[in-house]
Amino acid sequence: MAAWSTLNAAGVTLFLLLVLLRVSQAQTFFFPFRQPETCGHNQYFDISALSCVACGANQRQDARGTVCVCLPGFQMISNNGGPDIICKKCPENMKGVTEDGWNCISCPGGLTAEGKCHCPTGHILVERDVNGTLLSEATCKLCEESENSFTIANALGNRCVQCEPTFINTSRSCVCSEPNILTGGLCFSSTGNFPPRMISAARYGDLGMSFTSEWFAEYLQSSAAACWVYANLTSCQALGNMCVMNMNSYDSTTFDACRLFQFIFENTAGLGTVHSVSFWRQNLPWLFYGDQLGLAPQVLSTTPLPTNFSFKGENQYTKLKFVAASYDVRGNFLKWQTLEGGVLQLCPDTETRLNAAYSFGTTYQQNCEIPISKILTDFPTPTFYDVYLEYTDENQHQYIWAVPVLNLNLQHNKIFVNQDSSSGKWLLTRRIFLVDALSGRENDLGSQPRLIRVATQISLSIRLVPNTKNGNIYPPLITIAYSDIDIKDPNSQSVKVSFSVTYEMDQGEAHVQTDIALGVLGGLAVLLSLLKTAGWKRRIGSPMIDLQTVMKFLVYYAGDLANVFFIITVGTGLYWLIFFKAQKSVSVLLPMPAQEERFVTYVGCAFALKALQFLHKLISQITIDIFFIDWERPKGKVLKAVEGEGGVRSATVPVSIWRTYFVANEWNEIQTVRKINPLFQVLTVLFLLEVVGFKNLALMDSSSSLSRSPPSYIAPYSRILRYALSTALWLVIGIIQIVFFAVFYERFVEDKIRQFVDLCCMSNISVFLLSHRCFGYYIHGRSVHGHADTNMEEMNMNLKREAENLCSQRGLIPNTDGQTFQIAISSQMRQQYDRIHETLTRKNGPARLLSSSGSTFEQSIKAYHTMNKFLGSFIDHVHKEMDYFIKDKLLLERILGMEFMEPMEKSIFYNDESYSFSSVLYYGNEATLLIYDLMFFCVVDLACQNFILASFLTYLQQEIFRFIRNTVGQKNLASKTLVDQRFLI
C-alpha cells in the first residue's frame, strides 16, 4: 500500500513537471495572412483556421472559394460541407451531371463548362418527371411562343414564362423585330411621337465632364417610353430618379433625363394634378416647383406652417417630425420612414445624437470624413427620398407638408442658378439622394464606378415667421450640395461630409433698433467728449484750439464711444440670452453665425477703443507732477566740525528724510491698488463658467440646464450668448467685490486711501500733485502737533490728545477736517513751480545726481529745499501775488467734472471729501479697468472659444500692465521728488 502511494505521488510530480515544461515553452501568436482569392484552384479557404486547405480528390473550389465542389463529370456521393465531400466519376454513357450535382444523366446536346446539360436558346432543360423521378436522358423543351401562350424561357432556363407585355402589345409575339424599338427589355412601336434624340449622358459639373452612363444607356429610353406610352408608375419614378441623378439640371437643347421628364410633364396636362399641386402631375413624381422667376420666395415665405412650437409649458412642442417617401433606383416605392436614426446623415453616431438634429431650436452640426471604400460598400445603388414635415392641426388631424430642396448643383441652361445670392432666381426641387455610385459606371453595371456623386453638404434651415408670438415657422428648406469624385483608389480616397440644421429669423428690426441706439448714444458721447475736452483745456490753462486739442478730443471720444459699444453689445447679448432661453412659445431665434458678424465687429470696436482709453489713462498717471512737502522744522542746534578750518561751530539739527521716503514708498504701493481682487475675479468667473456649468447656457439649443449628459448631443456655442454670459458674470462678480470692498473691507479691515492721508498727517508731510498743467490735488498732511519726528512716548501722547480733542483739527482751514482738495492754480503759480522744478530734475533725476559732481548734487538739494519752502509758503498764504482761496464745488461742476471759474489772479482750492486724488491711481479708475479686463477676456474668448485660455491671458495682461505701471511710476516718482528709487519697494 505504501509503495502504491509512493508511485502515485511520483506520477503526479512527473505530470506537473511536464505541464510546467509545456507552459514554459515559447508560444507564437502569429501566422501567415491568407485571403480566399489567394487560394489555389484545388484549395478552399477554411473559415475557421483562416488558411487555405487542399480539396479532396476530383474536387475544386467553388465560386466563393470557401467550399469544395466536384469536378465536371463527377457526381456527389456525400457532402457535409468544406472538404468533407465525396465525388464519383459518371459513366461514359451518362457524362452529364444534374443541376443539383447529385446524379449523372445523359444530355441531348452538349455540356456546359460545369459539366451540366446545355439547351438551345428558347428551350428549357427538363431532368425529372412531374413527380420528381429522374429521367434517363434529359430533354430540351421549346417554349410555346404562339398567340395561344406567348411564353419564353426564363433567365435560368428552367421554366417557361409569359413574354413581357410590351412585346405582346407591340408585335403580338415574344420577339421585338424591326421597325419596333427594343430598349431596356421593353418593346415599343416606332410609330409613336416620342422624341427620337435621347442623351444617355451623366453630367459631372464639379469635374467639368460628362460621359455615357451604362445605366442611362440601358434604362433611360425604356423608362421614358413606358412612362409616356403606358403611364407606368414605376417607369415614371425611374425616369424621375435619373433626372435627380443628373442634379435636376435642365437644358432645352438636349433630350437628357430631365428634358424627357419635362417633355412628358408638359404633354400630360390633361391627366390632372395630385393634391391640387400644380407642379405634381398625375402618374409622375413631383420633382420641380416650376421655373418661373420669383417663385422660390413665394414658396418659402408666403404660407406659414399651421402648427406652433413652444420650448416650455403644458403645450411644449419641440419635435420636428420629418418623414420621407423612399424609392429605389428602379422606381419601386420602398416605404414611409422617419428621418430619425440618421437616414440623411452619412456620419455615424449614436442614435441620441443623430436624433438631436430634429429637436426644434437646437442648432445642429455634424462633420466627418468617410472612406470611399465604405461608401461603395454601403451604397451600391442610390435610394431616393421625398421629404415631408408631419404636423397636427388644431383638430388633431395629421398632415404632411412638402419640404422644398435647394440643389446647389442644379444647372438651368448651363447656369448654376441656385448658387445666386438672390432667392428670386432659385429653382426649388423635391427629390434627393445621398450617394450615386450607379450612373458613374461606363460599360458594365457590375464593374467599379468611374465616378461617384456624394451629398457632401446637407443643411436644413428653418425660418421663424416675423413678429410671431406662437412659434410659427415657414416651410423648412433643405440645401444640398453634391461633390463628384473620380475613383482611382477607393481604399486610399476619402470624402468630407457635413449635416447641419440652422434656425433663423429676420434681423432687420433688431439692426434698426441697434442703429438707433448707436446713433443716439454716439451723439451723447460726442457731447460728453466735448465737455471733457473743454474741461481739459481749462485745466491746462490754454484757450487755443490746436492739434493737441483735437487729438485729446479724439482720445476722450474713443473712451466714450467704447462705453457706447459696450452698453449696446451687453444689452443685445442679454436680450438674446434672456428672451431665447426663457421663452415658452417661440418668438425669437438666435442669430446665425453669419448674422453675428456685425455684433462681433461692435465688440471688437469696443475693445479697441477701450484699450486706447486705458493706455491714455495709464500714460497720464505715470507722467503726473508730484512733490512731498515736508513741514518738519529743526528742533535745535548742534556743534558741527568745520572742514578745513580745524574748528567747530553750531548748526541747526537736520530734518530726517526717512519720513519723506516712507510716504513716497506708501504712495508707490497704492498706485495699483484696486477695489477688486483681479485674481479672485478671474478665477470666480472661470469657476462659474466651467465648473458650475453656466457656459452650457451659451449652447444654441432651447435647454436652460447648467449640465449636459455625456451621451447627449452638444450644440455649437453662440458667440453672442458666450459674450452675454461672460459680461453678466464678470460685471456681477465685479460689482459684488466693489460693494464688499466699500461696505465691509474698507470700514472694518483696511482703507489704504484714507490710511495714506492719515499717514501724511502723522508724518507731517503734504502731497502736492498736478495731473494737468494748472490742475491737480493737494493732501494736507501738516501735523497739528508741530512735529512728527518724535519718540514713541511723545507720538502716543500726541495721538491720545488728538483722540480726546485736546488739539486743533487736521484740516487746512482752522477747526475743520478737510485735508484733501482739488486745486486749480494760476499760470503765475505754475510758472514759478516750473522754474524751481527745472533745477530739481536737471541731469535726469536723482539716479544720475548720486553719481554726478558734488556741486550738481548740492544744487539739486538746494532746489529741493527751495521747492519745499516755496510750496509750504504758498500753502501758508505768504505769496500774496500767488495766493489762493478755498471754496466748495457747485453740484453741476461735480456732475460735469469741470470747473466754471478760471484761476486768473488767485489759485482755487476746492474742498474734496471724496478723495478724488485717487483718479491718478488705479483705485479711482476701477470702472475703466473692469470694463477693459472684461473686453479683453471676451475678445480672446470670441477668437478661440476657450474660457480657460481667455482667463489665463486676461490675468497675464493684468500683471504685465501692473508691472509696467509700478516700474514707470517709480521712475517718475523718483525724478519728480528727488526720492532715491532704491528706497521705493
Side-chain angles (χ1 to χ4, degrees), residues 496-629:
K496 294 181 179 180
V497 299
S498 66
F499 181 88
S500 63
V501 181
T502 60
Y503 295 82
E504 59 179 308
M505 64 176 292
D506 185 12
Q507 299 291 328
E509 183 178 354
H511 290 164
V512 170
Q513 293 176 351
T514 301
D515 292 340
I516 292 174
L518 184 60
V520 173
L521 295 179
L524 295 177
V526 172
L527 296 178
L528 184 59
S529 300
L530 288 174
L531 289 175
K532 290 181 179 179
T533 306
W536 172 79
K537 290 292 291 181
R538 189 176 293 272
R539 290 180 175 184
I540 65 171
S542 173
M544 299 296 295
I545 298 179
D546 51 10
L547 180 61
Q548 184 184 13
T549 305
V550 175
M551 296 302 296
K552 204 69 175 182
F553 167 77
L554 293 178
V555 170
Y556 283 136
Y557 184 60
D560 294 332
L561 192 58
N563 295 332
V564 169
F565 279 117
F566 177 74
I567 293 172
I568 290 176
T569 54
V570 171
T572 303
L574 292 178
Y575 168 83
W576 290 115
L577 176 64
I578 296 172
F579 283 88
F580 177 73
K581 290 291 184 177
Q583 63 185 334
K584 292 183 179 180
S585 294
V586 180
S587 59
V588 296
L589 291 175
L590 291 174
M592 299 174 62
Q595 295 172 327
E596 291 179 331
E597 295 301 327
R598 186 173 184 176
F599 177 86
V600 173
T601 301
Y602 286 172
V603 174
C605 292
F607 169 71
L609 296 174
K610 183 57 68 173
L612 180 61
Q613 181 190 25
F614 169 69
L615 292 175
H616 172 251
K617 286 184 176 290
L618 186 66
I619 295 173
S620 298
Q621 290 182 6
I622 61 180
T623 56
I624 61 172
D625 288 318
I626 186 172
F627 190 85
F628 299 108
I629 306 172

Side-chain angles (χ1 to χ4, degrees), residues 265-273 281-282:
F265 181 88
E266 293 172 354
N267 288 276
T268 54
L271 296 179
T273 60
R281 185 77 74 241
Q282 192 74 36

Side-chain angles (χ1 to χ4, degrees), residues 337-376:
Q337 62 185 125
T338 176
L339 294 190
E340 292 186 343
V343 173
L344 298 184
Q345 294 151 273
L346 291 173
C347 296
D349 210 333
T350 63
E351 186 173 356
T352 301
R353 293 175 181 171
L354 291 173
N355 294 343
Y358 308 110
S359 178
F360 186 82
T362 299
T363 299
Y364 187 89
Q365 290 182 356
Q366 186 189 44
N367 302 276
C368 67
E369 189 169 356
I370 305 178
I372 296 298
S373 58
K374 176 176 173 57
I375 290 180
L376 293 176

Side-chain angles (χ1 to χ4, degrees), residues 292 377 528 587 975 983:
Q292 298 89 351
T377 303
L528 184 59
S587 59
S975 65
F983 294 100

Side-chain angles (χ1 to χ4, degrees), residues 263-434:
F263 173 85
I264 298 174
F265 181 88
E266 293 172 354
N267 288 276
T268 54
L271 296 179
T273 60
V274 178
H275 300 302
S276 301
V277 179
S278 60
F279 315 113
W280 195 350
R281 185 77 74 241
Q282 192 74 36
N283 301 331
L284 295 177
W286 181 8
L287 297 187
F288 299 93
Y289 279 86
D291 56 359
Q292 298 89 351
L293 291 177
L295 183 61
Q298 297 179 26
V299 174
L300 298 175
S301 305
T302 300
T303 306
L305 202 67
T307 188
N308 303 327
F309 291 90
S310 58
F311 288 158
K312 299 176 178 66
E314 297 179 357
N315 298 323
Q316 180 179 358
Y317 185 64
T318 59
K319 201 65 178 177
L320 292 165
K321 299 179 181 179
F322 286 100
V323 294
S326 55
Y327 300 83
D328 67 9
V329 69
R330 297 181 181 273
N332 298 302
F333 176 78
L334 299 178
K335 61 181 176 179
W336 279 104
Q337 62 185 125
T338 176
L339 294 190
E340 292 186 343
V343 173
L344 298 184
Q345 294 151 273
L346 291 173
C347 296
D349 210 333
T350 63
E351 186 173 356
T352 301
R353 293 175 181 171
L354 291 173
N355 294 343
Y358 308 110
S359 178
F360 186 82
T362 299
T363 299
Y364 187 89
Q365 290 182 356
Q366 186 189 44
N367 302 276
C368 67
E369 189 169 356
I370 305 178
I372 296 298
S373 58
K374 176 176 173 57
I375 290 180
L376 293 176
T377 303
D378 295 344
F379 300 93
T381 60
T383 300
F384 299 85
Y385 304 96
D386 292 342
V387 182
Y388 298 86
L389 179 60
E390 180 184 349
Y391 67 94
T392 304
D393 67 359
E394 297 177 353
N395 299 322
Q396 301 303 310
H397 295 155
Q398 286 187 325
Y399 294 91
I400 55 175
W401 191 291
V403 178
V405 175
L406 181 67
N407 188 343
L408 299 181
N409 298 74
L410 183 149
Q411 297 183 57
H412 186 74
N413 292 325
K414 300 181 181 180
I415 299 176
F416 290 96
V417 292
N418 288 346
Q419 297 181 14
D420 197 284
S421 58
S422 173
S423 61
K425 298 181 180 179
W426 293 350
L427 295 180
L428 301 179
T429 58
R430 284 282 297 124
R431 184 165 292 187
I432 63 173
F433 65 89
L434 297 183

Side-chain angles (χ1 to χ4, degrees), residues 68 487 746:
C68 295
I487 302 299
E746 288 188 334

